[in-house]
Amino acid sequence: MMIRHIVGPPGTGKTWALTESVRGLISDGLAPERIAVVSYTTAAVAEAMARLGDDLGIDPRQPYWGTIHRIGLHHISIERGRCRVLAPGGQEWKEFCSQRSLETNGGTADAADRWETAKIGDLMLGIYDFRRNTMMSVDEARSYLARTQLVTVELPPARQLEWFEREYEEYKRENMLVDFSDMLTYMHASGWSPSIDALVVDEAQDLTPIQAELIKRWSQNIPTVLAYDDDQAIYGFQGASPQWLIDMPGKVTTLAKSRRVPRAVAQAAQDLIRTNRMRRDKRWLPRDEVGEIAHGSLDVLPAMIDRYEGTWFVLVRNRMFLEDVQDVLEDAGIVYANRSGWSPVRLFESERLDTVLAIVTGAPVLPGELRPLVRAKPALFLPLAGRVLGQRTTPLERDDIARLLSDRGRPLIGGNVYRALRAYGLWDRSAAFVTRLVSRPHWRKELESPRVTLGTIHSAKGREADNVVLVPDMTKRTAM
């Protein structure tokens, strides 16, 4: 049998099994450059390529190792010459919208949580991308999106969508641009397949219909490994469905032991998953630990984080629900990373903030470290800086700092952290958060390595944490 399915529930070693498959192909005499190793997302590709490079000692920069989009862009560059990529939210996209009086908020409605807030330009681009990825006509895409309620806002009429597509295609031709859907449709329309002797696909359940069709073509008459978990198919809003994998013949190997999921979590997950109709019937064992599932409100989250050790994921269904979680964590002064947006960690990339905190917390400060403050408030500090700093290279005494940070004898910030941060440009919300943060006993350690990570469920795919919090709030569309 030329096709092998590796079905890997969470934590069962799917990436390891995929690596071993590539090792076997190379042992059989296949050259790495004649093997395609592809996936849907750059994150999945990066993980697989790092594992292959480390375990097999092979340079992962092979011609057909990467996302399917990357292979498509390479093919277009060979066929049509060098092209620039028109990225959602980029300058060319903004220019296109401006020239046609289309409102945009800087990107396409290409994620489950962006349809509701998309401006008209972004909405039409999102429908355009969806249509091409699913190989639907304009009318079919409009009907499908309305019927499934993937989009709850009013859809533009077909005539307006067709006008948009003509204008958009012409703009790309005139400026020698390609977008991400072009990278797929060009390969599909031309009938092209890479010159390979074997094909390995990771996270295959996430492929859109046009990507699935490309994989079916590329896999003809060569050894093919499809690694996936049909129960983790979460990109339905982009048209992805695992049904093509279930229908595809081949030898199926189910990895049966998870090293990640404890028994209580596995039982709850499988009780939900069994209601899915579009799945392979499979049995797998959790790790040898009971685990715990608790229910509560966001108000108790800070206490739980302080009580339990280890890393935390706090996951929401859509980006619009992130702000509620951020408010709770920031009110408690808890540092967090954010996979789906802004994070307070970014505040500390400024050397100016470090200097202000050093001043108000009584840490030693060298004269040179005050220069960012002088640059930030030149009209105020330059006259004082010359008198106070001079040519000194020794740490400043607090009296020196007090003289520098004063206006005609009146302290500008004194020892008040919040006022100091506001004086040097932080927003009210950010200043309040940092003030609470520095009152925690180990705040610098928390800052260097945040234990808490926020994000959407999609953003955490394939990653692990010791503790996971799911915020089940849903939009109307999701709930229905």
Side-chain angles (χ1 to χ4, degrees), residues 39-49 66-70 180 463:
S39 187
Y40 175 64
T41 65
T42 53
V45 166
E47 181 183 2
M49 289 173 64
T67 62
I68 301 176
H69 287 91
R70 175 182 174 274
F180 290 104
R463 300 183 179 272

Side-chain angles (χ1 to χ4, degrees), residues 59 101 220 247 299 301 315 322 357 367 431 469-470:
D59 185 348
S101 301
Q220 293 179 11
D247 295 339
D299 296 338
L301 181 59
L315 306 178
L322 280 174
L357 288 175
V469 177
L470 294 178

Side-chain angles (χ1 to χ4, degrees), residues 430-447:
S430 300
F433 165 74
V434 176
T435 302
R436 285 185 286 268
L437 169 64
V438 298
S439 69
R440 294 170 66 87
H442 307 294
W443 68 272
R444 285 202 176 273
K445 181 178 179 181
E446 293 179 18
L447 188 62

Side-chain angles (χ1 to χ4, degrees), residues 275-290:
T275 64
N276 294 347
R277 299 177 184 175
M278 196 182 304
R279 67 184 298 267
R280 291 187 181 276
D281 186 25
K282 64 182 78 69
R283 296 290 182 271
W284 55 277
L285 299 175
R287 77 178 191 222
D288 298 326
E289 182 181 329
V290 176

Side-chain angles (χ1 to χ4, degrees), residues 298 319-329 471 473:
L298 278 178
R319 291 174 192 244
M320 65 181 66
F321 297 115
L322 280 174
E323 188 171 342
D324 291 340
V325 182
Q326 290 174 298
D327 288 344
V328 170
L329 294 178
V471 181
D473 292 352

